[in-house]
Every structure is written in C-alpha cells, then in structure tokens.
Amino acid sequence: MNNLIVLIVFIIYLVVLIVLGYIADLKFSKKFEDFIAAGKSLGALVTAISAAASAESAWVMLGLSGYGYIHGMRAFWAALGCLLGYFLNAVLVIKKLRKESGELGSYTVSDFLADKVGDKGLLIRGIASFIIIIFFTSYVVAQFVGSGKTMDSMGIASYKIGVLIGGIIVGAYVLLGGYASVCWTDLLQGLLMSALFVILPILGIVKAGGFAGLSSKLYGSGLGNPWMDNAGHLALGFIIGELGISLGYIGMPHYVVRYITVKNIKEAKKAALIATTWGIITFFGSVMIGIIARALIPNLSDPEQAMPTFIRMYTHPVIAGIALSAITAAIMSTADSQLMYSATAFANDLLKKIFERRGVKIEDKKMVFIIRLVIAVIALIAIVLALLKVQFIYRYVLDYAWSALGASFGPAILLALHFKKFNKWGVVASLISGSLLTYLWNIFKLSNYIKVYNLVPIFFITLFIAWLVAALTNKD
C-alpha cells in the first residue's frame, strides 16, 4: 500500500512534466531560435532556478548526500565549494556575458566564444561541439544511472526499469518543447528540490535526538570535525580540493547558457541572487541529510543510497512520493539540459554553420526536426550505456565530465570576457588542454600522488596555457 501511494504521487509528477513540455511545444517549437533559446525571453526566476537545477544533478541528491554519509562534517566543504561557484559566476561572468552575447547575437557558449574572437570558420565550434557531445553524453549516462538506483532503492522499480523511466520521460518532454520546456520543467524541479532540503533535515534532526544526539554520534565515529581527517591531521588538501569544485561552474555550458538567454542584464543580476539563495538551501541540506543518515543508518554498503534509504525508513508515503519526485527532478533537470545543449551544439553550432558557409539556408521547421532527431539519438545512447554499467555518481561526474567541461570552457570564458588580446588560438588551446589534461590525469592516476581534486590544477594550468598561446599569437 505504501509503495502504491509513493508510485501514484510520482506518476502525477511525471504527467505534469509532460504537460509542461506540451505547452512549451505549442509556444516555442515553430522557430528554430525559439526552440533552442526560448526567444531569449526568460525572466530572473526561471533563469536562476533552471540554471541551478540543471547544474545540480543526481550528484547533489545522491552523490553529495553520500559524501556527507562518508565524510561527515568535512563534506560541508564540498557544499561551500559549490556555493562559491555561484558567487564566482555572479562576480566574474553573468552580467558581462549577457551584455556581450547580446551585442554579438550569440545563442550558445560556443557561439559566444567564436563570435567574440572573430572565428568565422568552424574550428572553435567544431572542437567545442565534439567536447560537449562526448562529455555531456557521459554526464547523461550518470543521470540515468541515478534514476535507476533511486527507484530500485525505494522499491518502486528495478534498476533497469528505473533507467528506462528516467530516460524516456526526459527524452519525451525535451523533444516536445525544446529549451523552453527544459527551463520550465527545471523551475518546477528546482523548487521541489529546495523544498525537500528544508523538510528532510528538520525531520532527520528530530529522529536523531536533536543536535546533541546527532553530534554525539558523529564525534563517536570520528566524523564531527570539519578540519581534521580520520587520522587527526589537518585535511588541507581535502579542503582545497572541495573548494575547487567552484571552478567548474564558470565553464559549464548548460549552466552558463541560461545567462546568455535571459531576457536582459537586469534580470540576469536578479537571477544570480536567486540562484545563490537556492544553492545555500540545496547544498547544505544535501550534506546534512547524508550526515543524519550516517547517524541513523550506519552500515549502508552504498553511501549513495543514504537519502533514498532514509526517506523509505523515516517518512510518510506521501512525503516519500514527493521525495522520489524531487530526487528524480534533480536527475531530469540535468539530463534534459545536457540533452538539449548537446543537440543544440550539433545542430546550431556545427550543422547550421556548415550549410550557411555553403550558401544553403534550411528552413526552421527542418532545423527543429533535425535537433529533435539528435536529442532522440543521444537519449537512446545514454539509456543503453546506463543499462550496461553502474558508476559511482559522485566521482564519475566530478573526475571526468565536470572537470573536463569546467577546465575546457571556464578559462576560455574568463579570458574572452576579461583579456582584451584573447584570440582564436587561445580559445582552441583552452578547449583542447582542459579536456586532454583531464583525460591524462585520470589515465595516469595522478590523484594518487597529488591529493587535490583534479579540476583545481588542471583549470589553472589550462588558464595559463590559453593566456600564453593568445599572447604569443596575437598580431596587434
């Protein structure tokens, strides 16, 4: 009976998503620019919450709470690192990016980088599209893995059925309404996530016997001090690495693009404040739930099951249904954005430009069909890969996709906005260096020797390489 109630609440949520996709289809599927950018008409609330929700995937619901379960109070450094990423974007990127992308008529990050440095060819767009499609597809796989793990752990469906449900629903509403449906559904999903991160920590603290009871359990297991590792040493490398997560937000295309398509600069500035408020609730709430689960359920074999297991054991079926919807929302809000952005990178940044260079203009209706076809293909590939192999979400997302994308695009965006002599070769150097260094770092397992999250050194090395190449190749 309990599982039936959870399932009913969850089905209602899925139906709402499809309805939002249908409404977006009616309004934004006629023109190609509307389908990929919602006509640059989105306000601050939709922009902020959809941007934040799209950046925080199964990672923040399952991975970050699992991190809290493993590391206790030290995991709050990861939450602070994420919040610092929002702050860096607000200070260094958002206002200037919206202003300059508007002046250039850019619709995507690849568009902006190519337009900013005057690359009329396909070099930057081609490299950027390749990186985005490769790493976003792997990112989407991680989201569908999260969908399967969540439904399996909550007793709703098997892992494979959970992957299929997540993949098919996301694919369906993105196919319907494009970018607008992604943003509208992400708004709903982001609000649902923040509500969950208010309710569950309060409930958990009560169940754990208040702050005193929770604190005694944590210190008893050596997890109560945010500054020290389990051996009693200062966890300096750990702290620097977790704060380094912030660097990824500067270069995350599906996050940054929200501030290209926001209505105007005024709305962009409002959105930055709203997103930061949302981040405080979400990041610290997720870690808190993991810590509470460690105190109440100390012997989980898979730490990423901490939140679903806590929900199943300690909440009413209606709350459990809402919680399942919220966890799935985090997964879908990232997967939909990455599906949409991958397809846009291929159709707008690459295919459309190839035809334009040959003097061929494809009508909007055909371009919308092409981008929908690409969305379907990428979704299908991601579903198949998720069915074949389960990955640990926290490390998989952070070590590969987050690091590669953040290190490739982040330095390029910063230098394009703040270094007047930045040029085409600097952008190319950034894109290639960030991706290649991430790959080599993991192949040679350098994290075994350098005890800092790989994005931190890779980001700054790439930033230096991109600056140096631009300075050396600048003809002025």
Side-chain angles (χ1 to χ4, degrees):
M1 180 63 181
N2 285 352
N3 278 357
L4 179 61
I5 295 172
V6 172
L7 187 59
I8 290 170
V9 174
F10 183 56
I11 289 172
I12 291 171
Y13 164 72
L14 295 180
V15 170
V16 171
L17 293 183
I18 296 297
V19 170
L20 286 174
Y22 176 71
I23 294 171
D25 175 59
L26 295 177
K27 187 173 182 180
F28 289 107
S29 65
K30 304 301 183 289
K31 292 183 178 180
F32 180 65
E33 285 75 13
D34 286 349
F35 193 80
I36 66 169
K40 290 195 174 184
S41 63
L42 301 178
L45 182 64
V46 176
T47 295
I49 303 299
S50 68
S54 71
E56 315 313 336
S57 55
W59 177 83
V60 81
M61 302 297 282
L62 304 181
L64 188 56
S65 58
Y67 213 54
Y69 188 92
I70 296 169
H71 294 285
M73 294 293 287
R74 286 193 300 276
F76 279 119
W77 290 110
L80 188 59
C82 295
L83 194 61
L84 180 59
Y86 284 31
F87 175 76
L88 290 176
N89 262 322
V91 173
L92 299 174
V93 176
I94 289 174
K95 180 181 176 182
K96 200 168 176 62
L97 178 65
R98 178 60 186 89
K99 179 179 182 293
E100 295 190 12
S101 63
E103 292 169 352
L104 293 167
S106 307
Y107 283 94
T108 67
V109 174
S110 308
D111 260 351
F112 168 72
L113 290 173
D115 294 340
K116 175 70 176 179
V117 299
D119 180 22
K120 304 298 183 184
L122 297 173
L123 184 61
I124 289 174
R125 290 183 173 91
I127 296 171
S129 297
F130 177 79
I131 293 169
I132 287 166
I133 291 169
I134 293 297
F135 286 105
F136 270 5
T137 300
S138 68
Y139 217 133
V140 173
V141 172
Q143 306 319 306
F144 292 165
V145 166
S147 176
K149 290 176 76 169
T150 299
M151 294 187 203
D152 182 41
S153 68
M154 293 190 69
I156 300 300
S158 68
Y159 169 78
K160 290 185 177 180
I161 296 299
V163 168
L164 289 172
I165 290 173
I168 291 169
I169 293 295
V170 168
Y173 71 73
V174 177
L175 282 168
L176 278 171
Y179 184 76
S181 72
V182 166
C183 292
W184 290 354
T185 54
D186 284 1
L187 171 63
L188 170 65
Q189 290 164 167
L191 293 174
L192 195 58
M193 289 162 65
S194 60
L196 183 70
F197 285 125
V198 171
I199 295 169
L200 289 187
I202 294 172
L203 175 64
I205 289 168
V206 172
K207 295 289 184 182
F211 284 107
L214 182 62
S215 179
S216 65
K217 290 182 175 66
L218 284 178
Y219 276 97
S221 58
L223 299 174
N225 192 326
W227 299 95
M228 300 295 177
D229 60 21
N230 291 338
H233 303 131
L234 179 65
L236 184 60
F238 178 89
I239 292 169
I240 293 171
E242 300 312 307
L243 293 177
I245 294 172
S246 60
L247 298 172
Y249 288 91
I250 298 170
M252 209 52 51
H254 66 292
Y255 175 82
V256 175
V257 75
R258 296 303 204 282
Y259 296 101
I260 291 177
T261 58
V262 68
K263 189 184 297 183
N264 53 48
I265 296 173
K266 183 179 179 181
E267 292 296 296
K269 290 165 68 176
K270 288 182 188 175
L273 179 61
I274 295 170
T276 302
T277 304
W278 183 93
I280 293 170
I281 296 168
T282 301
F283 300 133
F284 288 91
S286 180
V287 172
M288 196 68 201
I289 292 168
I291 291 172
I292 291 165
R294 178 63 179 262
L296 296 175
I297 321 162
N299 298 310
L300 286 177
S301 58
D302 182 359
E304 290 181 351
Q305 299 294 342
M307 185 183 294
T309 304
F310 171 80
I311 290 166
R312 189 182 70 245
M313 293 178 64
Y314 291 102
T315 66
H316 185 275
V318 173
I319 299 296
I322 295 170
L324 173 61
S325 301
I327 295 173
T328 310
I331 293 163
M332 291 180 172
S333 62
T334 298
D336 60 16
S337 297
Q338 289 159 344
L339 277 174
M340 186 67 214
Y341 199 93
S342 298
T344 302
F346 179 81
N348 178 74
D349 300 348
L350 199 58
L351 190 63
K352 187 181 178 187
K353 299 301 185 292
I354 290 173
F355 283 116
E356 286 177 352
R357 283 172 62 85
R358 295 181 179 180
V360 178
K361 180 173 175 58
I362 304 177
E363 62 184 45
D364 283 357
K365 189 175 180 180
K366 287 184 179 178
M367 284 302 301
V368 170
F369 172 78
I370 290 170
I371 200 169
R372 280 175 164 159
L373 183 62
V374 176
I375 289 167
V377 170
I378 294 173
L380 182 60
I381 291 171
I383 289 171
V384 171
L385 292 175
L387 290 172
L388 291 176
K389 190 173 183 181
V390 178
Q391 299 277 357
F392 274 91
I393 295 166
Y394 187 93
R395 292 263 62 96
Y396 181 65
V397 168
L398 277 186
D399 285 351
Y400 287 91
W402 188 265
S403 179
L405 291 164
S408 298
F409 287 92
I413 291 170
L414 281 181
L415 290 170
L417 291 173
H418 300 286
F419 180 38
K420 290 183 179 180
K421 294 184 178 181
F422 199 49
N423 61 17
K424 176 172 72 174
W425 301 113
V427 175
V428 171
S430 179
L431 295 176
I432 294 176
S433 298
S435 301
L436 184 60
L437 287 172
T438 299
Y439 175 74
L440 293 175
W441 192 282
N442 287 286
I443 287 294
F444 291 106
K445 302 185 184 304
L446 295 182
S447 292
N448 292 337
Y449 310 100
I450 303 173
K451 302 296 183 180
V452 174
Y453 173 39
N454 61 1
L455 175 59
V456 178
I458 293 172
F459 185 95
F460 287 108
I461 292 169
T462 301
L463 184 67
F464 174 74
I465 291 172
W467 171 83
L468 182 63
V469 169
L472 292 175
T473 57
N474 195 286
K475 295 179 181 180
D476 295 336

mmCIF file of all heavy atoms in Angstrom, residues 273-301:
data_model
loop_
_atom_site.group_PDB
_atom_site.id
_atom_site.type_symbol
_atom_site.label_atom_id
_atom_site.label_comp_id
_atom_site.label_asym_id
_atom_site.label_seq_id
_atom_site.Cartn_x
_atom_site.Cartn_y
_atom_site.Cartn_z
ATOM 1 N N LEU A 273 21.338 36.388 -7.719
ATOM 2 C CA LEU A 273 20.995 36.411 -6.295
ATOM 3 C C LEU A 273 20.046 35.265 -5.938
ATOM 4 O O LEU A 273 20.223 34.582 -4.920
ATOM 5 C CB LEU A 273 20.357 37.755 -5.942
ATOM 6 C CG LEU A 273 19.916 37.936 -4.487
ATOM 7 C CD1 LEU A 273 21.107 37.816 -3.548
ATOM 8 C CD2 LEU A 273 19.234 39.302 -4.301
ATOM 9 N N ILE A 274 19.062 35.029 -6.779
ATOM 10 C CA ILE A 274 18.108 33.945 -6.531
ATOM 11 C C ILE A 274 18.828 32.593 -6.536
ATOM 12 O O ILE A 274 18.585 31.739 -5.669
ATOM 13 C CB ILE A 274 16.988 33.961 -7.590
ATOM 14 C CG1 ILE A 274 16.150 35.236 -7.466
ATOM 15 C CG2 ILE A 274 16.091 32.728 -7.450
ATOM 16 C CD1 ILE A 274 15.182 35.462 -8.622
ATOM 17 N N ALA A 275 19.703 32.390 -7.498
ATOM 18 C CA ALA A 275 20.422 31.117 -7.609
ATOM 19 C C ALA A 275 21.293 30.862 -6.379
ATOM 20 O O ALA A 275 21.375 29.733 -5.886
ATOM 21 C CB ALA A 275 21.280 31.109 -8.872
ATOM 22 N N THR A 276 21.931 31.911 -5.864
ATOM 23 C CA THR A 276 22.782 31.760 -4.684
ATOM 24 C C THR A 276 21.955 31.358 -3.473
ATOM 25 O O THR A 276 22.362 30.489 -2.686
ATOM 26 C CB THR A 276 23.538 33.069 -4.397
ATOM 27 O OG1 THR A 276 24.324 33.414 -5.543
ATOM 28 C CG2 THR A 276 24.452 32.925 -3.196
ATOM 29 N N THR A 277 20.786 31.948 -3.313
ATOM 30 C CA THR A 277 19.884 31.593 -2.206
ATOM 31 C C THR A 277 19.459 30.134 -2.313
ATOM 32 O O THR A 277 19.456 29.391 -1.325
ATOM 33 C CB THR A 277 18.644 32.507 -2.207
ATOM 34 O OG1 THR A 277 19.060 33.872 -2.155
ATOM 35 C CG2 THR A 277 17.741 32.195 -1.023
ATOM 36 N N TRP A 278 19.103 29.722 -3.512
ATOM 37 C CA TRP A 278 18.725 28.331 -3.759
ATOM 38 C C TRP A 278 19.883 27.395 -3.420
ATOM 39 O O TRP A 278 19.692 26.329 -2.825
ATOM 40 C CB TRP A 278 18.318 28.167 -5.218
ATOM 41 C CG TRP A 278 17.827 26.805 -5.597
ATOM 42 C CD1 TRP A 278 16.534 26.382 -5.601
ATOM 43 C CD2 TRP A 278 18.618 25.700 -6.055
ATOM 44 N NE1 TRP A 278 16.467 25.078 -6.029
ATOM 45 C CE2 TRP A 278 17.726 24.633 -6.306
ATOM 46 C CE3 TRP A 278 19.982 25.510 -6.265
ATOM 47 C CZ2 TRP A 278 18.171 23.387 -6.764
ATOM 48 C CZ3 TRP A 278 20.422 24.279 -6.714
ATOM 49 C CH2 TRP A 278 19.524 23.236 -6.966
ATOM 50 N N GLY A 279 21.102 27.797 -3.779
ATOM 51 C CA GLY A 279 22.267 26.965 -3.534
ATOM 52 C C GLY A 279 22.533 26.740 -2.054
ATOM 53 O O GLY A 279 22.916 25.636 -1.641
ATOM 54 N N ILE A 280 22.346 27.768 -1.241
ATOM 55 C CA ILE A 280 22.556 27.635 0.207
ATOM 56 C C ILE A 280 21.662 26.535 0.764
ATOM 57 O O ILE A 280 22.110 25.652 1.517
ATOM 58 C CB ILE A 280 22.278 28.973 0.921
ATOM 59 C CG1 ILE A 280 23.326 30.012 0.528
ATOM 60 C CG2 ILE A 280 22.268 28.780 2.440
ATOM 61 C CD1 ILE A 280 23.009 31.422 0.987
ATOM 62 N N ILE A 281 20.392 26.568 0.395
ATOM 63 C CA ILE A 281 19.434 25.574 0.879
ATOM 64 C C ILE A 281 19.797 24.180 0.388
ATOM 65 O O ILE A 281 19.830 23.202 1.157
ATOM 66 C CB ILE A 281 18.007 25.939 0.416
ATOM 67 C CG1 ILE A 281 17.554 27.258 1.032
ATOM 68 C CG2 ILE A 281 17.021 24.821 0.755
ATOM 69 C CD1 ILE A 281 16.289 27.829 0.424
ATOM 70 N N THR A 282 20.100 24.064 -0.884
ATOM 71 C CA THR A 282 20.275 22.762 -1.517
ATOM 72 C C THR A 282 21.572 22.075 -1.117
ATOM 73 O O THR A 282 21.564 20.911 -0.701
ATOM 74 C CB THR A 282 20.218 22.918 -3.051
ATOM 75 O OG1 THR A 282 18.958 23.491 -3.404
ATOM 76 C CG2 THR A 282 20.377 21.581 -3.738
ATOM 77 N N PHE A 283 22.697 22.752 -1.218
ATOM 78 C CA PHE A 283 23.981 22.113 -0.959
ATOM 79 C C PHE A 283 24.124 21.696 0.501
ATOM 80 O O PHE A 283 24.508 20.564 0.796
ATOM 81 C CB PHE A 283 25.129 23.047 -1.354
ATOM 82 C CG PHE A 283 25.126 23.422 -2.799
ATOM 83 C CD1 PHE A 283 25.280 24.743 -3.198
ATOM 84 C CD2 PHE A 283 24.952 22.467 -3.785
ATOM 85 C CE1 PHE A 283 25.277 25.096 -4.532
ATOM 86 C CE2 PHE A 283 24.940 22.812 -5.126
ATOM 87 C CZ PHE A 283 25.107 24.122 -5.499
ATOM 88 N N PHE A 284 23.818 22.626 1.399
ATOM 89 C CA PHE A 284 23.979 22.310 2.811
ATOM 90 C C PHE A 284 22.911 21.324 3.285
ATOM 91 O O PHE A 284 23.165 20.494 4.157
ATOM 92 C CB PHE A 284 23.971 23.597 3.633
ATOM 93 C CG PHE A 284 25.221 24.410 3.453
ATOM 94 C CD1 PHE A 284 25.293 25.382 2.470
ATOM 95 C CD2 PHE A 284 26.341 24.174 4.226
ATOM 96 C CE1 PHE A 284 26.457 26.122 2.273
ATOM 97 C CE2 PHE A 284 27.519 24.907 4.044
ATOM 98 C CZ PHE A 284 27.568 25.883 3.057
ATOM 99 N N GLY A 285 21.726 21.384 2.677
ATOM 100 C CA GLY A 285 20.674 20.418 3.012
ATOM 101 C C GLY A 285 21.046 19.012 2.606
ATOM 102 O O GLY A 285 20.805 18.044 3.343
ATOM 103 N N SER A 286 21.662 18.858 1.432
ATOM 104 C CA SER A 286 22.043 17.534 0.953
ATOM 105 C C SER A 286 23.089 16.893 1.862
ATOM 106 O O SER A 286 22.968 15.715 2.237
ATOM 107 C CB SER A 286 22.581 17.628 -0.482
ATOM 108 O OG SER A 286 22.949 16.354 -0.966
ATOM 109 N N VAL A 287 24.125 17.650 2.190
ATOM 110 C CA VAL A 287 25.153 17.126 3.092
ATOM 111 C C VAL A 287 24.555 16.753 4.441
ATOM 112 O O VAL A 287 24.875 15.715 5.026
ATOM 113 C CB VAL A 287 26.295 18.150 3.271
ATOM 114 C CG1 VAL A 287 27.259 17.696 4.367
ATOM 115 C CG2 VAL A 287 27.051 18.339 1.970
ATOM 116 N N MET A 288 23.654 17.609 4.929
ATOM 117 C CA MET A 288 23.037 17.369 6.235
ATOM 118 C C MET A 288 22.259 16.056 6.247
ATOM 119 O O MET A 288 22.323 15.296 7.220
ATOM 120 C CB MET A 288 22.107 18.540 6.578
ATOM 121 C CG MET A 288 21.716 18.600 8.042
ATOM 122 S SD MET A 288 23.141 19.023 9.073
ATOM 123 C CE MET A 288 22.595 18.417 10.664
ATOM 124 N N ILE A 289 21.551 15.777 5.178
ATOM 125 C CA ILE A 289 20.794 14.518 5.106
ATOM 126 C C ILE A 289 21.745 13.323 5.139
ATOM 127 O O ILE A 289 21.480 12.317 5.801
ATOM 128 C CB ILE A 289 19.919 14.489 3.838
ATOM 129 C CG1 ILE A 289 18.811 15.536 3.945
ATOM 130 C CG2 ILE A 289 19.310 13.099 3.628
ATOM 131 C CD1 ILE A 289 18.079 15.797 2.649
ATOM 132 N N GLY A 290 22.869 13.429 4.427
ATOM 133 C CA GLY A 290 23.849 12.344 4.454
ATOM 134 C C GLY A 290 24.414 12.115 5.845
ATOM 135 O O GLY A 290 24.589 10.967 6.290
ATOM 136 N N ILE A 291 24.702 13.200 6.552
ATOM 137 C CA ILE A 291 25.226 13.098 7.918
ATOM 138 C C ILE A 291 24.195 12.456 8.843
ATOM 139 O O ILE A 291 24.520 11.578 9.658
ATOM 140 C CB ILE A 291 25.622 14.500 8.429
ATOM 141 C CG1 ILE A 291 26.851 15.007 7.667
ATOM 142 C CG2 ILE A 291 25.885 14.482 9.928
ATOM 143 C CD1 ILE A 291 27.207 16.451 7.954
ATOM 144 N N ILE A 292 22.950 12.883 8.710
ATOM 145 C CA ILE A 292 21.875 12.325 9.533
ATOM 146 C C ILE A 292 21.702 10.835 9.251
ATOM 147 O O ILE A 292 21.542 10.015 10.171
ATOM 148 C CB ILE A 292 20.563 13.092 9.283
ATOM 149 C CG1 ILE A 292 20.663 14.511 9.840
ATOM 150 C CG2 ILE A 292 19.378 12.352 9.903
ATOM 151 C CD1 ILE A 292 19.579 15.447 9.340
ATOM 152 N N ALA A 293 21.748 10.469 7.973
ATOM 153 C CA ALA A 293 21.613 9.055 7.612
ATOM 154 C C ALA A 293 22.747 8.228 8.206
ATOM 155 O O ALA A 293 22.533 7.082 8.635
ATOM 156 C CB ALA A 293 21.592 8.915 6.087
ATOM 157 N N ARG A 294 23.965 8.795 8.257
ATOM 158 C CA ARG A 294 25.095 8.074 8.851
ATOM 159 C C ARG A 294 24.846 7.796 10.331
ATOM 160 O O ARG A 294 25.207 6.731 10.867
ATOM 161 C CB ARG A 294 26.379 8.881 8.676
ATOM 162 C CG ARG A 294 27.629 8.258 9.308
ATOM 163 C CD ARG A 294 27.972 6.922 8.663
ATOM 164 N NE ARG A 294 29.163 6.339 9.236
ATOM 165 C CZ ARG A 294 30.377 6.433 8.701
ATOM 166 N NH1 ARG A 294 30.551 7.094 7.557
ATOM 167 N NH2 ARG A 294 31.411 5.863 9.286
ATOM 168 N N ALA A 295 24.220 8.767 11.016
ATOM 169 C CA ALA A 295 23.924 8.599 12.437
ATOM 170 C C ALA A 295 22.820 7.573 12.674
ATOM 171 O O ALA A 295 22.880 6.787 13.626
ATOM 172 C CB ALA A 295 23.533 9.948 13.038
ATOM 173 N N LEU A 296 21.817 7.563 11.785
ATOM 174 C CA LEU A 296 20.653 6.694 11.998
ATOM 175 C C LEU A 296 20.790 5.331 11.326
ATOM 176 O O LEU A 296 20.228 4.342 11.798
ATOM 177 C CB LEU A 296 19.391 7.393 11.463
ATOM 178 C CG LEU A 296 18.982 8.688 12.171
ATOM 179 C CD1 LEU A 296 17.806 9.323 11.449
ATOM 180 C CD2 LEU A 296 18.633 8.429 13.628
ATOM 181 N N ILE A 297 21.509 5.270 10.193
ATOM 182 C CA ILE A 297 21.645 4.027 9.421
ATOM 183 C C ILE A 297 23.134 3.837 9.129
ATOM 184 O O ILE A 297 23.602 4.099 8.009
ATOM 185 C CB ILE A 297 20.841 4.102 8.097
ATOM 186 C CG1 ILE A 297 19.510 4.817 8.297
ATOM 187 C CG2 ILE A 297 20.612 2.708 7.510
ATOM 188 C CD1 ILE A 297 18.866 5.305 7.010
ATOM 189 N N PRO A 298 23.931 3.379 10.103
ATOM 190 C CA PRO A 298 25.387 3.453 9.989
ATOM 191 C C PRO A 298 26.064 2.408 9.104
ATOM 192 O O PRO A 298 27.259 2.515 8.855
ATOM 193 C CB PRO A 298 25.848 3.284 11.443
ATOM 194 C CG PRO A 298 24.763 2.505 12.093
ATOM 195 C CD PRO A 298 23.492 2.926 11.434
ATOM 196 N N ASN A 299 25.357 1.426 8.597
ATOM 197 C CA ASN A 299 26.032 0.314 7.916
ATOM 198 C C ASN A 299 25.603 0.128 6.466
ATOM 199 O O ASN A 299 25.525 -1.008 5.974
ATOM 200 C CB ASN A 299 25.791 -0.987 8.696
ATOM 201 C CG ASN A 299 26.366 -0.922 10.099
ATOM 202 O OD1 ASN A 299 27.521 -0.550 10.277
ATOM 203 N ND2 ASN A 299 25.557 -1.263 11.085
ATOM 204 N N LEU A 300 25.340 1.213 5.757
ATOM 205 C CA LEU A 300 24.958 1.094 4.350
ATOM 206 C C LEU A 300 26.156 0.661 3.506
ATOM 207 O O LEU A 300 27.259 1.185 3.663
ATOM 208 C CB LEU A 300 24.438 2.435 3.823
ATOM 209 C CG LEU A 300 23.043 2.874 4.266
ATOM 210 C CD1 LEU A 300 22.735 4.253 3.693
ATOM 211 C CD2 LEU A 300 21.985 1.883 3.820
ATOM 212 N N SER A 301 25.937 -0.292 2.603
ATOM 213 C CA SER A 301 27.022 -0.739 1.730
ATOM 214 C C SER A 301 27.293 0.270 0.616
ATOM 215 O O SER A 301 28.415 0.391 0.126
ATOM 216 C CB SER A 301 26.685 -2.106 1.123
ATOM 217 O OG SER A 301 25.466 -2.036 0.393
#
